[in-house]
Amino acid sequence: MTVDVPSSHLDILHSTGLAFVATLHHRDSGVRPQVSPTWFHWDESAGHLLISLTDRRQKYRNLRREPAVAVCLTDPANPYRYIELRGSVVAIDEDHGHRLIDRLASTYVGVSTFDHRPGDGQRLIVRIAPDSLRCFG
Amino acid sequence: MTVDVPSSHLDILHSTGLAFVATLHHRDSGVRPQVSPTWFHWDESAGHLLISLTDRRQKYRNLRREPAVAVCLTDPANPYRYIELRGSVVAIDEDHGHRLIDRLASTYVGVSTFDHRPGDGQRLIVRIAPDSLRCFG
């Protein structure tokens, strides 16, 4: 399943806005939401949102357990223009050669190589398939 | 319980940055996260984050059922500077005389009265008590 992205907001998917990614954090006392901003890449041919994580992150553990996500993608020039996307993680793969994270670093901050440190853990590609998408602003 | 806000990031709580508020959406098929941006007011004396909702919103129904929230508060001038806050809704009260929503409209967009329409439903104040807070950037 792919979702249609209205042409009015397609630019946001190709911008350097941040993705605010909400996940579910299961704890002994119950589940609670987690949200944090991250870089993203829109894979237009697949209709998937790609984010980069390492296996040391709480968000990674959350997504391994529960693939449901919600994401806000904002226009970096106008935070009142944004996309709300809901979907599921359909794959978590190793980021071989750090291709995704280096590409994101280039797009977002103009450096050719992301400063990955060994203690950061294994660099991964999280592939999110949207099942709904709403545009605002 | 109140949390300490480092002076380095206190300005964000008094800025016109948006709050990305994540909640839990219970459905027949299970729980999933929801996230959307909203205006906020930091009640410094109580150490509470206040947001404005109406009773017609999905986020309101989510919070009535499950008070756990996670919030990202970003510096409007630098999205890489932000606060991650987790906590619970401790009260949902009627916004008598639309005091909160009008105050937010004044702070954020410089109008004295928010354009509330009857079909919007009852205007409410959601009071969030943080139990943890982390600063980035």
Side-chain angles (χ1 to χ4, degrees):
Chain A
M1 176 184 170
T2 56
V3 293
D4 285 326
V5 184
S7 58
S8 60
H9 286 67
L10 198 54
D11 62 299
I12 293 176
L13 295 177
H14 298 285
S15 75
T16 56
L18 295 175
F20 291 83
V21 179
T23 58
L24 300 178
H25 182 191
H26 286 266
R27 305 186 304 168
D28 291 343
S29 54
V31 62
R32 61 189 295 183
Q34 191 195 36
V35 61
S36 57
T38 186
W39 295 339
F40 72 90
H41 172 72
W42 177 247
D43 177 348
E44 189 143 300
S45 60
H48 288 160
L49 190 78
L50 272 50
I51 63 172
S52 180
L53 279 184
T54 76
D55 59 4
R56 304 280 166 88
R57 295 280 301 276
Q58 181 62 49
K59 193 172 289 298
Y60 166 72
R61 292 190 290 274
N62 293 353
L63 291 173
R64 271 282 178 223
R65 174 159 180 174
E66 171 57 70
V69 296
V71 185
C72 263
L73 302 161
T74 58
D75 177 349
N78 174 9
Y80 293 92
R81 239 185 116 241
Y82 62 96
I83 296 171
E84 265 184 42
L85 175 158
R86 297 175 201 175
S88 298
V89 172
V90 290
I92 300 180
D93 298 311
E94 188 180 341
D95 187 3
H96 292 291
H98 290 177
R99 283 184 60 188
L100 176 64
I101 188 64
D102 286 348
R103 178 176 183 160
L104 291 171
S106 170
T107 301
Y108 278 88
V109 289
V111 300
S112 60
T113 308
F114 181 76
D115 184 21
H116 184 85
R117 292 157 200 181
D120 291 345
Q122 189 182 31
R123 182 55 66 175
L124 302 163
I125 299 171
V126 176
R127 186 171 281 273
I128 296 166
D131 53 49
S132 75
L133 187 147
R134 291 197 303 161
C135 297
F136 299 84
Chain B
M1 175 183 170
T2 57
V3 294
D4 286 325
V5 184
S7 58
S8 61
H9 286 67
L10 198 54
D11 62 298
I12 293 176
L13 294 177
H14 298 285
S15 76
T16 55
L18 295 175
F20 290 83
V21 179
T23 58
L24 300 179
H25 183 191
H26 287 267
R27 304 187 304 168
D28 291 342
S29 54
V31 63
R32 61 189 296 182
Q34 191 195 35
V35 61
S36 58
T38 187
W39 295 340
F40 72 90
H41 171 71
W42 177 246
D43 177 349
E44 188 143 302
S45 60
H48 289 161
L49 190 79
L50 272 51
I51 63 172
S52 180
L53 278 184
T54 77
D55 59 4
R56 304 281 166 87
R57 296 279 303 275
Q58 181 62 49
K59 194 173 289 298
Y60 167 73
R61 293 190 289 274
N62 293 353
L63 291 173
R64 270 283 176 223
R65 173 157 182 174
E66 172 56 71
V69 295
V71 186
C72 264
L73 303 161
T74 58
D75 177 349
N78 175 9
Y80 293 92
R81 236 183 118 242
Y82 63 97
I83 296 172
E84 263 185 44
L85 175 158
R86 296 174 202 177
S88 298
V89 171
V90 291
I92 300 180
D93 298 312
E94 189 182 340
D95 186 4
H96 293 291
H98 291 179
R99 283 184 59 188
L100 177 64
I101 188 63
D102 285 348
R103 177 176 184 161
L104 291 171
S106 170
T107 302
Y108 277 88
V109 289
V111 299
S112 60
T113 308
F114 181 75
D115 183 21
H116 183 86
R117 292 157 200 181
D120 291 346
Q122 189 182 32
R123 184 54 66 175
L124 303 163
I125 300 172
V126 176
R127 185 171 281 274
I128 296 166
D131 54 49
S132 75
L133 188 148
R134 290 197 303 161
C135 297
F136 298 84

